[in-house]
Amino acid sequence: MTGTRPFTDSAAPGRVLAVDIGGTKLALRAVDAGVAVHERTVPWPAGGDAAGQSDLLAASVAEAVGVLGGAPVRIGVAAAPNVGADGCVVSWPNRPEWVGRSLRAPFVGSGAEVLFGDDATLAGLAEARSTGSRDLVYLGIGTGVGGGLVSGGRLLTGAWGTAGELGHLVVDPQGPRCRCGTRGCLQAVVSAEALAAHASAARGLATTTAELVAGVRRSDPWAERTLDHAADLIARALRVLVELVQPAHVRIGGGLGAALAPLPGRIARRLSETARPGRPLPEIGSAFHGPHSSLAGAALLAAHGPSLIGGADPLHGGSPA
Ligand SMILES: [Zn+2]
């Protein structure tokens, strides 16, 4: 729902650039003095040519820097892949050709400080900040399934900084194998690919995610079955999270998650049917930023710098610690 909504963050330095490197698209937002001056989404086709993909990223960054009229102070990058401290890709199941390759290199020409963060983690921070929630679970459903956990106003990062990988919570031990090797991870059963496969079986016809979204809008029975299937599996993961971190709010985002408007209500119903009696349940809704939560999080990272992740109370303290 952001579009080119002005980005008003008092911590924002003069010029910053936010970049979201997702599974199938690049999104960029250039911000000057708190106002978005350039926003662009570029298809980011997968398929073997890492050098070409790197060139496309570099050209997109150069275009945004050109609109800014000078080097940004900082670039915040929300990244789907796992990126090491040296800027090289450690793992990227959808683009294995990138492993070992520098994701920092396409930004070198910008002259800016470049900071990377997990796309779903940053999305969780952005959702917590925009909704004013101190206890929020973000779940992003798209090419992959990612999560971000904010508890007591702080991001939960864990001992090694990568806590909150909700896509790899096991919700169906007998289920299909996940790309990580485990059976029945949430990602293996409710990613865009998995839900398209479920819809295809329910409909008896090869079905894309766009057709699934349209079917849900029309309340087609086959689409309803896939929606209920997804809601049931997500509610299983949330039931664990309710006991573990007691979120007040859950936000469902990502390209597919944000497009399935009835999904949060369906999850809430399923969760209430299966929850422990007397347990307070979170309010569940669609992401405030629609499919752009990761980009909003990248903009926060660009504005606040490294203290955003792991700061004392980076969300609500007014200024980073
Ligand atoms: Zn997994």
Side-chain angles (χ1 to χ4, degrees):
M1 67 179 280
T2 52
T4 52
R5 188 175 65 90
F7 175 70
T8 52
D9 191 311
S10 57
R15 298 185 193 116
V16 295
L17 178 61
V19 180
D20 175 22
I21 299 176
T24 57
K25 64 164 176 48
L26 297 170
L28 300 95
R29 179 186 298 166
V31 178
D32 190 0
V35 176
V37 294
H38 170 82
E39 185 142 343
R40 181 117 193 259
T41 301
V42 183
W44 172 243
D49 180 14
Q53 294 168 19
S54 183
D55 289 347
L56 176 62
L57 176 55
S60 302
V61 169
E63 181 191 32
V65 170
V67 174
L68 279 172
V73 175
R74 207 181 282 129
I75 301 179
V77 184
N82 187 353
V83 181
D86 60 356
C88 288
V89 172
V90 176
S91 68
W92 199 348
N94 293 322
R95 295 174 196 263
E97 66 275 14
W98 270 84
V99 173
R101 191 179 182 96
S102 175
L103 195 58
R104 191 179 294 280
F107 295 93
V108 165
S110 68
E113 177 190 14
V114 182
L115 297 173
F116 292 94
D118 176 77
D119 55 352
T121 299
L122 289 172
L125 281 170
E127 288 295 316
R129 189 179 178 100
S130 297
T131 58
S133 176
R134 296 178 64 82
D135 294 277
L136 179 139
V137 166
Y138 169 80
L139 185 67
I141 300 173
T143 310
V145 174
L149 300 179
V150 172
S151 184
R154 291 176 174 80
L155 183 66
L156 292 183
T157 54
W160 293 278
T162 55
E165 288 275 9
L166 306 187
H168 298 288
L169 290 181
V170 174
V171 293
D172 182 5
Q174 313 306 323
R177 204 169 284 285
C178 178
R179 286 208 170 97
C180 74
T182 305
R183 268 192 194 284
C185 291
L186 190 59
Q187 174 163 292
V189 289
V190 303
S191 68
E193 183 184 356
L195 290 184
H198 188 278
S200 299
R203 191 184 181 194
L205 183 67
T207 299
T208 65
T209 52
E211 289 166 337
L212 170 61
V213 170
V216 165
R217 276 203 201 104
R218 292 189 302 263
S219 301
D220 286 349
W222 59 268
E224 290 285 313
R225 285 203 293 283
T226 297
L227 194 66
D228 283 335
H229 165 78
D232 178 50
L233 292 161
I234 294 166
R236 289 185 204 181
L238 289 182
R239 195 175 163 193
V240 173
L241 291 167
V242 162
E243 299 293 352
L244 211 57
V245 294
Q246 209 167 64
H249 303 96
V250 173
R251 287 294 173 266
I252 308 294
L256 179 58
L260 293 170
L263 183 60
R266 214 59 73 92
I267 297 167
R269 191 168 79 195
R270 192 69 189 127
L271 184 61
S272 72
E273 287 166 358
T274 55
R276 193 153 57 90
R279 197 76 176 151
L281 295 177
E283 181 263 333
I284 305 176
S286 295
F288 178 89
H289 293 283
H292 304 298
S293 306
S294 294
L295 184 62
L300 280 179
L301 181 59
H304 289 265
S307 61
L308 179 73
I309 299 174
D313 189 350
L315 295 173
H316 305 94
S319 60

